[in-house]
Amino acid sequence: MTISPLAPASFPVVPMISGVRFATVEAGVRYSGRKDVMLTHLQAGTSIAGVFTTSATRAAPVLDCQAKLGGDPSGEAAIIVNSGNANAFTGSDGAEAVTNICTAVADTLGIAPQRVFSSSTGVIGEALPFEKITAKLSELKEGLSPGKLKGAAEAIMTTDTFPKAAGAQIDIDGKTVSITGIAKGSGMIAPDMATMLVYIFTDAKIAQPDLQQMVSAINDRTFNCITVDSDTSTSDTLIMAATGASNVDVTGNADFAQALETLMLDLAHQVVRDGEGATKFVTVNVTGADSEPDAKRCALSIANSPLVKTAIAGEDPNWGRIVAAVGKSGAKADRDTLSISFGDIRVAENGWVSPSYAEEQGAAVMKKQDIVINVDLGVGTSDATVWTCDLTHGYITINADYRS
Amino acid sequence: MTISPLAPASFPVVPMISGVRFATVEAGVRYSGRKDVMLTHLQAGTSIAGVFTTSATRAAPVLDCQAKLGGDPSGEAAIIVNSGNANAFTGSDGAEAVTNICTAVADTLGIAPQRVFSSSTGVIGEALPFEKITAKLSELKEGLSPGKLKGAAEAIMTTDTFPKAAGAQIDIDGKTVSITGIAKGSGMIAPDMATMLVYIFTDAKIAQPDLQQMVSAINDRTFNCITVDSDTSTSDTLIMAATGASNVDVTGNADFAQALETLMLDLAHQVVRDGEGATKFVTVNVTGADSEPDAKRCALSIANSPLVKTAIAGEDPNWGRIVAAVGKSGAKADRDTLSISFGDIRVAENGWVSPSYAEEQGAAVMKKQDIVINVDLGVGTSDATVWTCDLTHGYITINADYRS
C-alpha cells in the first residue's frame, strides 16, 4: 500500500502520559505478518468518556462500551482493540466474543470486567476468532510500557496508509498537563461519526461526567465534521481516558478544552488525509446560512457530492457542480445571493460567474494539494466548516477490488 | 464514447403520436459534429404537465417552464431543447436567453410565447449562446415531421451513450391510444429528480390538471426512485403533452395510468442503465419498514452508498456494507430482525450470516449484470424499491477528466 500523498512527513513526537501503558502483538485475527491487537492499561481512578457511532446496526463491542461508560472509576482499567475483524452483525456470538475477551483481559490484569473496553475494526459479518486474541493476553501484559504509542497506532490500522497520532502539552498554573491521541480510519468516513477508532489519553484530573460533556461537544466540531465517502461505520468509537496522574484539575478549563479541540481536529484531519485514494485535502467553509444545521447540511452536501469530488480529483475548477450541490442540499439558498470562492479567488457571485474571474485562476488553485472552498449563502449569519478529500480511481480500486 | 454494457439491444420501435412533430439541427451550442437542438411542435389544445427539479439553484428554463404550466391550452405549443449548455447559474442573462429563445420560437411558429417550453442541459455557469439556437429556427420549422423521434432523443444527449425511448399502445373501448417518450440522463442522477430531461407524448385526451396529477404521482414511483450518484441537477425536467388527437378521454383511466407508469419506469431504468461508468443494474427492495419514508430512506441509503456500489462493481458479495448502509440510514432497524438476500439467496438473518449461506452463492449472483438486493427490516409493513448502478473507474474517468 502506497502511503497517502497527503500524509504528514513523519510520525509526530508526542508526550508520554503518566498512568498509561501500551502493548501490541501479532495475533493473526485476519492479517498476517503485522501487529493487529493493542492493549492499553490505565491506572486506578482513570475517568473514561466515549462517543460512538449512531448506526442502528452498531457492532457488539460498541454496545458493550456504551453500557460500561459512567461506571465506578475507582479501579484500574484497560482498552483492547483488534484490527481485521469488526465483530459487527455477528449475532449473539458477537456479544459472547466481547464478553470472553473482556473477561480474559480482566482476569489477566486482575481488574474488573466492567473496566475493560474493547473495539474491533475490519470486515463485517464474520465471526471474530476471539481465542486468537485471548491466547496473547499474557504476552501483551508482559509487554506493557508507556512508550509504545506508535506501535499501538499501527496495530489498529486497517486500510490506513500511515499511523495517526497527535500530542499537546498545556501549562496550567505552572504545572504541565499532557494529552496524546491515536486514531485509525481512512474509508467509510462520515458523520456521525467517521469510521474511526480514536483513543485519547491525558494525565489531567477531571470527573467522568465533565470529561464526557467536554469530549462530546468537541467531537461535534471535529470528528463529526469530516467525511470521506458519506458512509458511516457500525464500529466508530472514540474513547478518552484521563488518568489524573498530573494532579491538575482541568474541570471547565478553557485552555485544556482548546488544546484538546486542536488535538482532535488534528487527528480528524489526518483521517481525511488518509482518505481512501485521496490526493487532495479539501476544506469547505459555508457562511451566511439561515441556521447552523443549514450551514452544516450545505457544507456536507458539497463535501459528499461525487461530482464535486471527482472534479477536484481532475483539478477542474468546476464551480457549477458546487452550485448544484448547494441547490440539492435542502438548505435555504438563493441563486442571486450565493457567492463561491476557491481560496481567495472569487468565482461566482450575484447569480453568475464573477466578472473578475478567469478560469486560469481557478485552475491554479485546483493544482494545489490543500484546497479551500468558500461558499457564502447570503441568507443569514450561521456558518460551518467540514473537511473532505477528493474521489479518485484509488478509492474505486481499494473498495472494488478488496474485501475490507 | 463506448456504449453502456447495460444498454438495450436496439432503439425501440415506438408509435408515432398524432399531433406531435419533431425536428433537430446542428446548432453548435457547444458540441460540434452532432445535432444539439430539438424542436417539438404540438397541435392546438394539447394539455401540458410537468415535474421539475427541487433544487434551490434551479436553472432559468426550469423557472420559466414552471411559470407557464397550467396556462391557457387552446393554442398550438412547442418544446425547444438544447444540449451542451444548461443555462444554469447564469444570472439575469440566463432568464433573458430563455425569453429570447421562446419569443423567437413563438414568432417562427406563429404561436403564443406562453406556449413555448424550453430546456437546456450541459455545463453550468456559462452564458448560453442563444443566437446559435434562434438562427436555426427556420430550418427547424421546415424539418418538422412526426417520425423524427429518434433524432430528438439523440439531440438532447450529453454524456449519454445511447438514445432513450419507450412506447405503449392501449386499447380503450375499442380505440387505440398511444404514448411515446424520450429521455436523456446518465450522471448527476438522484431524486428529486434525476438529472434528466424527459418528454412524453400521447394522443389521449385529458385536461391539464388531471394529467398533472397523474404524472406527478407516477413520477414519485419512477424517476424519483432512481439514483446514479446521489447528485441532483439544477435542470431536471419532465414534460408530458397530451394532444387529444385520438379523441379518447383517459381521465381517471387505470389502464392508461398503468401503461404510462410502465413506460416511465422503462425510461427511468434506461437512465440508470446509462449511468456514468455503470456495469451493473441494481434493484434494491426494502420491505418490513416502519413507514414508507423509512423504506425509501433505507433503500436510497443502500443505493447511494459508495461502499456498496464499489463492492458491486468488484462483484464482491459484501453484505456487511449493506448492513452498514441500513444502519446509517436513519430508518428504524433492528439488527436481529434484519434479513438480506441477493436475489433468491438468503445471506443474512437473525443478526448474522444465514446458516445456509455459502460465499460462492453470493459471488455467483454478483457476476450477473442485473442484481437484486432484498432487505427486510422486520419492523413493519411498508416497502420501497429503488434502482441504481455500480460505482466504477468509468465514473471517475468521465467526471474527473472532462468538464460536463
Side-chain angles (χ1 to χ4, degrees):
Chain A
M1 182 82 65
T2 316
I3 293 170
S4 168
L6 307 177
S10 60
F11 193 79
V13 177
V14 293
M16 281 194 272
I17 306 298
S18 181
V20 185
R21 292 179 296 151
F22 302 96
T24 58
V25 74
E26 283 187 34
V29 172
R30 181 182 181 89
Y31 308 123
S32 56
R34 55 157 282 191
K35 295 185 170 179
D36 58 352
V37 175
M38 83 102 175
L39 177 68
T40 304
H41 178 274
L42 300 159
Q43 75 172 32
T46 296
S47 294
I48 298 176
V51 189
F52 302 90
T53 180
T54 57
S55 172
T57 53
R58 290 195 274 290
V62 172
L63 295 167
D64 185 67
C65 282
Q66 289 182 303
K68 287 173 176 173
L69 273 191
D72 175 10
S74 55
E76 297 167 32
I79 302 169
I80 182 138
V81 184
N82 75 274
S83 56
N85 184 312
N87 191 17
F89 210 70
T90 43
S92 55
D93 283 25
E96 276 173 39
V98 173
T99 303
N100 285 331
I101 290 169
C102 291
T103 305
V105 169
D107 289 349
T108 304
L109 298 178
I111 66 179
Q114 287 299 310
R115 291 283 280 167
V116 181
F117 295 81
S118 77
S119 306
S120 296
T121 178
V123 70
I124 297 175
E126 296 186 8
L128 176 65
F130 65 88
E131 308 87 344
K132 290 186 178 177
I133 299 170
T134 52
K136 297 286 183 179
L137 291 177
S138 300
E139 189 180 331
L140 282 164
K141 181 186 176 187
E142 293 306 312
L144 284 168
S145 148
K148 291 184 177 166
L149 182 96
K150 187 179 178 196
E154 289 166 342
I156 63 176
M157 287 165 57
T158 55
T159 55
D160 303 60
T161 72
F162 62 90
K164 299 165 188 69
Q169 288 193 315
I170 319 107
D171 184 305
I172 296 179
D173 300 332
K175 285 184 179 168
T176 299
V177 171
S178 301
I179 318 174
T180 290
I182 59 174
K184 68 96 11 189
S186 65
M188 207 190 267
I189 302 293
D192 308 281
M193 307 163 28
T195 299
M196 300 172 312
L197 301 180
V198 184
Y199 305 96
I200 304 172
F201 309 97
T202 178
D203 54 8
K205 196 171 167 182
I206 180 169
Q208 199 276 344
D210 300 311
L211 182 64
Q212 182 66 53
Q213 193 174 22
M214 187 183 289
V215 168
S216 295
I218 297 176
N219 184 68
D220 274 345
R221 299 189 293 271
T222 54
F223 289 107
N224 274 352
C225 290
I226 63 173
T227 178
V228 165
D229 57 9
S230 80
D231 268 326
T232 303
S233 144
T234 54
S235 303
D236 299 326
T237 295
L238 180 152
I239 288 176
M240 178 152 182
T243 65
S246 69
N247 255 321
V248 180
D249 195 312
V250 297
T251 311
N253 185 292
D255 291 342
F256 180 82
Q258 182 55 54
L260 179 59
E261 181 155 349
T262 301
L263 182 147
M264 284 170 66
L265 198 57
D266 183 347
L267 287 175
H269 286 183
Q270 287 188 52
V271 170
V272 173
R273 288 182 180 280
D274 206 8
E276 289 170 341
T279 67
K280 307 276 186 186
F281 180 81
V282 185
T283 303
V284 180
N285 295 311
V286 171
T287 53
D290 188 45
S291 67
E292 268 193 48
D294 254 23
K296 194 161 177 182
R297 190 177 296 130
C298 183
L300 283 172
S301 177
I302 296 166
N304 280 325
S305 161
L307 287 172
V308 170
K309 293 161 84 84
T310 48
I312 293 169
E315 302 189 338
D316 174 7
N318 194 328
W319 57 271
R321 293 184 181 175
I322 296 171
V323 172
V326 170
K328 75 163 180 170
S329 70
K332 186 179 172 188
D334 179 335
R335 189 194 68 183
D336 296 336
T337 61
L338 176 63
S339 67
I340 299 170
S341 302
F342 292 143
D344 297 333
I345 308 295
R346 175 62 63 96
V347 176
E349 59 192 346
N350 302 323
W352 207 5
V353 63
S354 173
S356 65
Y357 176 67
E359 176 98 354
E360 306 79 67
Q361 295 174 300
V365 172
M366 286 296 148
K367 291 212 178 304
K368 296 182 181 173
Q369 202 168 60
D370 281 27
I371 292 169
V372 179
I373 297 172
N374 296 307
V375 171
D376 191 284
L377 296 176
V379 296
T381 56
S382 296
D383 53 67
T385 299
V386 306
W387 297 271
T388 190
C389 56
D390 54 344
L391 173 57
T392 68
H393 284 290
Y395 182 86
I396 306 292
T397 300
I398 293 166
N399 288 299
D401 304 347
Y402 304 109
R403 170 167 285 207
S404 64
Chain B
M1 182 82 67
T2 314
I3 292 171
S4 167
L6 307 177
S10 59
F11 193 79
V13 176
V14 294
M16 282 195 270
I17 305 298
S18 182
V20 185
R21 292 180 298 150
F22 301 97
T24 58
V25 74
E26 283 187 34
V29 171
R30 182 183 182 88
Y31 308 123
S32 56
R34 56 156 280 190
K35 295 183 172 182
D36 59 352
V37 175
M38 83 102 173
L39 177 68
T40 304
H41 179 273
L42 300 160
Q43 74 171 35
T46 296
S47 294
I48 297 176
V51 189
F52 302 90
T53 180
T54 56
S55 172
T57 54
R58 289 196 274 291
V62 171
L63 296 167
D64 185 67
C65 283
Q66 290 182 302
K68 287 174 175 172
L69 273 191
D72 175 10
S74 55
E76 296 167 33
I79 301 169
I80 182 136
V81 184
N82 75 274
S83 55
N85 183 313
N87 191 16
F89 211 69
T90 43
S92 55
D93 284 24
E96 277 173 38
V98 172
T99 303
N100 285 330
I101 290 169
C102 291
T103 304
V105 169
D107 290 349
T108 304
L109 298 177
I111 66 179
Q114 287 299 311
R115 291 284 278 167
V116 181
F117 295 81
S118 78
S119 305
S120 296
T121 178
V123 70
I124 296 175
E126 296 188 7
L128 176 64
F130 65 88
E131 308 88 344
K132 290 186 179 178
I133 299 170
T134 53
K136 296 287 183 177
L137 291 177
S138 300
E139 190 181 330
L140 282 164
K141 182 187 176 187
E142 292 307 311
L144 285 168
S145 149
K148 291 183 177 167
L149 182 97
K150 187 180 178 196
E154 289 167 342
I156 63 176
M157 288 165 56
T158 55
T159 55
D160 303 60
T161 72
F162 62 89
K164 300 165 187 70
Q169 288 193 313
I170 319 108
D171 184 306
I172 295 179
D173 300 331
K175 286 183 180 169
T176 300
V177 171
S178 300
I179 318 174
T180 290
I182 59 174
K184 68 95 11 189
S186 65
M188 208 189 267
I189 301 293
D192 304 285
M193 305 166 31
T195 297
M196 301 172 308
L197 301 180
V198 184
Y199 305 95
I200 304 172
F201 309 96
T202 178
D203 54 8
K205 196 172 167 181
I206 180 169
Q208 199 277 343
D210 299 311
L211 181 65
Q212 182 66 53
Q213 192 175 23
M214 188 184 287
V215 169
S216 294
I218 297 175
N219 184 68
D220 273 346
R221 299 190 293 270
T222 55
F223 289 106
N224 275 353
C225 289
I226 62 173
T227 179
V228 166
D229 56 10
S230 80
D231 269 325
T232 303
S233 144
T234 54
S235 304
D236 298 327
T237 296
L238 181 154
I239 288 177
M240 179 154 180
T243 66
S246 69
N247 255 320
V248 180
D249 195 312
V250 297
T251 311
N253 185 292
D255 291 342
F256 180 82
Q258 183 55 56
L260 178 60
E261 181 154 348
T262 301
L263 182 148
M264 284 171 66
L265 198 57
D266 182 347
L267 287 176
H269 287 183
Q270 288 189 52
V271 170
V272 172
R273 287 182 181 279
D274 206 7
E276 290 170 341
T279 67
K280 307 276 186 185
F281 180 82
V282 184
T283 302
V284 180
N285 295 311
V286 170
T287 54
D290 188 44
S291 67
E292 269 193 47
D294 254 23
K296 195 162 177 181
R297 190 177 295 129
C298 184
L300 283 173
S301 178
I302 296 165
N304 280 325
S305 162
L307 287 171
V308 170
K309 292 160 86 83
T310 48
I312 293 169
E315 301 188 337
D316 174 7
N318 193 327
W319 57 271
R321 294 185 181 175
I322 296 172
V323 172
V326 170
K328 74 164 180 167
S329 70
K332 185 178 173 189
D334 179 334
R335 189 194 69 183
D336 296 335
T337 61
L338 176 64
S339 67
I340 299 170
S341 302
F342 293 141
D344 296 333
I345 308 296
R346 175 62 62 98
V347 176
E349 60 193 345
N350 302 324
W352 208 4
V353 64
S354 172
S356 64
Y357 176 69
E359 177 98 355
E360 306 79 68
Q361 296 175 298
V365 172
M366 286 294 148
K367 291 212 179 302
K368 295 181 181 174
Q369 201 168 59
D370 282 26
I371 291 169
V372 179
I373 297 172
N374 296 308
V375 171
D376 191 284
L377 296 176
V379 295
T381 56
S382 298
D383 54 65
T385 298
V386 305
W387 295 272
T388 190
C389 57
D390 54 344
L391 174 57
T392 68
H393 284 289
Y395 182 85
I396 307 292
T397 300
I398 292 167
N399 288 299
D401 304 346
Y402 305 107
R403 169 168 283 207
S404 63

